[in-house]
Amino acid sequence: MAWETIEAPPGVAPPRPMTVRAQSIPARHSFPEHAHYWNQMVYAISGVLTVAVEGHSFVISPEQAVWLPTGLHHRVGSLLGAEFRSLWIADEAGHGLPTAPTVFGVTPLLKELIVEATAIEGEEDHDGYAGRVTDLILDQLRRAQPLPGALAWPPGGSPLMALCEAIYADPADRRGPRTWAAELGMSERTLARHFEAEVGMSLRTWRRRLRLFKAIELMGGGLDVTRTAMELGYGSTSAFVYAFRTGMGWSPQAYMRRDRADR
């Protein structure tokens, strides 16, 4: 299925110092590539976003956000739909924030501040409350911990999109490189070469990272370890626990306890 384009609202004023935009992104919809004369924080309070910037594409969960400095060309959309929250931040207010695109973790406090900023957006700030919320958000952004990376994704228009979308929707999908190469009309060697070039890793490595990404998303949404293992297509809970420990350095239970403590 083809993706559809979302038109950005016309005549939007620059942030002074911060503007919050709330929008629902339907499944398989994206904004066209564009740039701003201000910084942007890309985030979804629910659902998963696809982000393309500087020739790299990736997906982020509601536990992650992306900081985009002024002037960077980017494209944002969603494969399955998302509740999008975009923070536009003026350069003078963004002092001390990254000068390169950065993926970072979103704490529960930052999420609630974004929800509150959305609720009061456009209201008169008679008592300075909105300004204090903005200051707290900026403080939280400066304290945010960069993450080593999100889940890599092929660029828009790539034939590999069908493969990645299918496995993302169903991580238990067991089709291997030979089957996928036949479905995409290419040889296994060509598939491997294209995947490495466009995604930056082998299909096997990407599938393993996808499962870790989805595991954190599913457990963060309340699923227990056994149900998560089943959703991801593991033959047993112990196989999932071993794979998670190998990839993350922690058991699933210990990782989630640590994540909650850090927040």
Side-chain angles (χ1 to χ4, degrees), residues 6-220:
I6 305 172
E7 293 299 330
V12 178
R16 301 180 185 275
M18 185 179 82
T19 298
V20 183
R21 286 187 54 225
Q23 187 167 358
S24 295
I25 301 181
R28 294 181 177 274
H29 281 66
S30 66
F31 295 98
E33 184 172 299
H34 62 285
H36 301 296
Y37 294 107
W38 49 78
N39 305 289
Q40 182 180 12
M41 174 187 158
V42 173
Y43 178 62
I45 60 172
S46 65
V48 174
L49 295 175
T50 62
V51 183
V53 59
E54 291 194 331
H56 299 283
S57 297
F58 48 88
V59 297
I60 57 170
S61 70
E63 290 74 40
Q64 302 169 317
V66 181
W67 174 258
L68 300 173
T70 298
L72 281 182
H73 283 80
H74 60 279
R75 186 176 66 255
V76 178
S78 180
L79 172 61
L80 302 177
E83 283 299 318
F84 182 43
R85 300 295 182 266
S86 178
L87 274 60
W88 292 350
I89 298 172
D91 282 342
E92 58 270 21
H95 178 71
L97 290 167
T99 57
T102 305
V103 179
F104 60 90
V106 174
T107 64
L109 173 58
L110 179 55
K111 177 179 179 178
E112 291 305 317
L113 286 169
I114 293 169
V115 171
E116 181 65 5
T118 304
I120 63 176
E121 177 68 25
E123 296 181 1
E124 292 292 332
D125 190 20
H126 297 296
D127 59 359
Y129 175 69
R132 292 193 293 275
V133 171
T134 295
D135 289 342
L136 282 171
I137 288 175
L138 293 172
D139 284 343
Q140 284 291 298
L141 290 177
R142 293 187 183 99
R143 293 170 61 87
Q145 295 298 311
L147 299 176
L151 179 66
W153 203 255
S158 168
L160 298 181
M161 285 283 281
L163 183 163
C164 291
E165 289 179 2
I167 299 177
Y168 187 92
D170 180 15
D173 189 321
R174 297 191 178 280
R175 285 175 287 183
R178 179 179 300 177
T179 302
W180 274 114
E183 292 193 18
L184 297 175
M186 59 181 72
S187 68
E188 282 190 66
R189 181 174 296 181
T190 300
L191 172 63
R193 185 173 65 250
H194 278 289
F195 207 94
E196 187 77 38
E198 295 182 16
V199 184
M201 63 191 73
S202 69
L203 173 57
R204 181 177 181 179
T205 299
W206 182 85
R207 191 191 293 262
R208 187 164 58 244
R209 292 194 181 184
L210 165 69
R211 283 180 161 187
L212 292 175
F213 182 91
K214 293 287 285 186
I216 293 169
E217 179 185 338
L218 292 171
M219 291 189 297

